[in-house]
Each structure stands twice: as structure tokens, then as C-alpha cells.
């Protein structure tokens, strides 16, 4: 299957700092990438849809000014958590589709811990 | 509000048995259905997808879809301890956006 690479796999930061997470499609061009967040023992919740060359589409309740998404190329999308707080601690996962089957291929995930 | 419901479990089966995982969805417009396996602390990995009513088999895994009942299931035959994980059911439409259930924790006992 298609490969989506995510970095960093884990990060610890102080409250008030910003953290950037990168998501790359390694063997295909990802016109669209999806960013999910998963709290412990909860399911994946879609945060936003990232479209190459245009603004991201955010789900209801997700602050676009706090979670900045950039999708400047067909192989790279970034999520920046700005002014992170402890309640932002979560597992952030990017994903993309390859082809027309609708399958989502997930990155390895990034575990963010805000102290 | 699109919803996908799963029995949270945990579901415990002995090694070699059949594990049956169930899922219902609320959006009749959903066109594609997926089963993902997620090990603790890891990202989900795709096991199977199904679009048409009926059964779809892949090795030890069989997905079943009944659109009239809005029901999807996953059967795992000859369960192995390595199958122990959380299984996520997801439903999607034409825009590739998936709605996930909360997952069912499966434990296969040696």
C-alpha cells in the first residue's frame, strides 16, 4: 500500500510553545491529506482536510488559528499546534488516499505531550 | 450527525476461535466501509474495505456488509494472539472523509 511518513513520532513541549508535525506521502502524490486527533481510549476524530495549494477545511469545533495546516506541495502537509496547552496533548495522525478506492493510509502518528 | 457504533468490548476469544466484530452506521449515504486494526500506541492499519452488500474474504478475514440494516461486520478465523488489538470500523462517502467508531478491543488468549 501507499506509504505516508509522519514526523516526529513523539514530542514533549512546554505550555505556550508551538509544535510542528510533518506528514509526507512517499510514493504517491497526495492532493488531499486528513489530520486526525485521538485521545486515549477514544476514536479518531477528524480535525481538518488539507488540500494542496489551498486553505484547509476545518471540522466544527476545531480552532483554525490554533491548528495551522499548510499543504504547500503534493507530498507534504504540516500541522502546527500553536501556543500548545496540556489539553492539546494527544495522538495526532495524518492520512491520505491513493487512487480511487477511498482507502486511507495513515502516517505513524505523533504523540504530543504538553507540560 | 454521522455516527458509527461499535461494541467497545473487550471481546475475549481463545486462540484458534472465530472472533466476530460488529458495527452499525447512521448515514445511509455512506458508500465505503473499512476495518482498521490499531495496536496500542500505534497508528491504524487497514485490514479490509468493502463497498458491496455481501461477504468479502481475504485470508483469515471476512467482511460482511448489509446496507439495508446499515451493518458491517468483521470475522477473524483461527484467531491468533497477534490479532489482539483494537479494531476500528469506519464509514465513508464520496469525499474520502471517514467517520470512525470508537473501536472494539479484542484479546486472543493463548
Amino acid at each position: 500500500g501507499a506509504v505516508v511518513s509522519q514526523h516526529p513520532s513523539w514530542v514533549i513541549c512546554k505550555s505556550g510553545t508551538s509544535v510542528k508535525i510533518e506528514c509526507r506521502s512517499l510514493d504517491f502524490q497526495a492532493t488531499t491529506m486528513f489530520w486526525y486527533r485521538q485521545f486515549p481510549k477514544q476514536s479518531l476524530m477528524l480535525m481538518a482536510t488539507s488540500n494542496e495549494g489551498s486553505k484547509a477545511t476545518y471540522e466544527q469545533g476545531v480552532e483554525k488559528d490554533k491548528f495551522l495546516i499548510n499543504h504547500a506541495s503534493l507530498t507534504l502537509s504540516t500541522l502546527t499546534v500553536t501556543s500548545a496547552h496540556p489539553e492539546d496533548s494527544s495522538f495526532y495522525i495524518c492520512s491520505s488516499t491513493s487512487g480511487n478506492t477511498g482507502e486511507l493510509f495513515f502516517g505513524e502518528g505523533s504523540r504530543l505531550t504538553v507540560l | 450527525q454521522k455516527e458509527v457504533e461499535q461494541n467497545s468490548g473487550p471481546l475475549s476469544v481463545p486462540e484458534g476461535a472465530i472472533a466476530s466484530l460488529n458495527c452499525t452506521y447512521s448515514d445511509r449515504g455512506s458508500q465505503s466501509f473499512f476495518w482498521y486494526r490499531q495496536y496500542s500506541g500505534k497508528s491504524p492499519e487497514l485490514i479490509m474495505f468493502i463497498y458491496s452488500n455481501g461477504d468479502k474474504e481475504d485470508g483469515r478475514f471476512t467482511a460482511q456488509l448489509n446496507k439495508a440494516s446499515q451493518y458491517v461486520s468483521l470475522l477473524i478465523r483461527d484467531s491468533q494472539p497477534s490479532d489482539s488489538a483494537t479494531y476500528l470500523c469506519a464509514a465513508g462517502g464520496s469525499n474520502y472523509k471517514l467517520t470512525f467508531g470508537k473501536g472494539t478491543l479484542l484479546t486472543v488468549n493463548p
Side-chain angles (χ1 to χ4, degrees), chain B:
Chain B
Q1 181 82 358
K2 299 177 183 179
E3 293 183 347
V4 175
E5 300 286 342
Q6 291 182 256
N7 187 331
S8 61
L11 173 66
S12 183
V13 300
E15 184 174 356
I18 296 176
S20 178
L21 303 163
N22 305 312
C23 169
T24 59
Y25 59 95
S26 64
D27 183 10
R28 283 197 173 274
S30 298
Q31 301 173 7
S32 52
F33 305 89
F34 304 84
W35 283 99
Y36 286 86
R37 176 174 61 196
Q38 186 176 27
Y39 293 110
S40 181
K42 300 295 185 180
S43 197
E45 53 181 329
L46 181 68
I47 295 178
M48 291 189 70
F49 61 88
I50 186 168
Y51 300 135
S52 304
N53 276 326
D55 296 357
K56 179 181 179 182
E57 186 174 321
D58 184 2
R60 296 187 294 114
F61 300 95
T62 299
Q64 299 174 318
L65 173 61
N66 184 325
K67 290 186 178 180
S69 301
Q70 295 176 240
Y71 173 86
V72 192
S73 67
L74 178 70
L75 298 177
I76 306 175
R77 290 181 298 282
D78 189 22
S79 296
Q80 301 297 310
S82 58
D83 294 328
S84 299
T86 295
Y87 288 79
L88 301 171
C89 172
S94 59
N95 59 2
Y96 302 124
K97 290 172 67 172
L98 298 188
T99 300
F100 285 85
K102 289 187 176 181
T104 298
L105 177 61
L106 171 66
T107 300
V108 181
N109 302 306

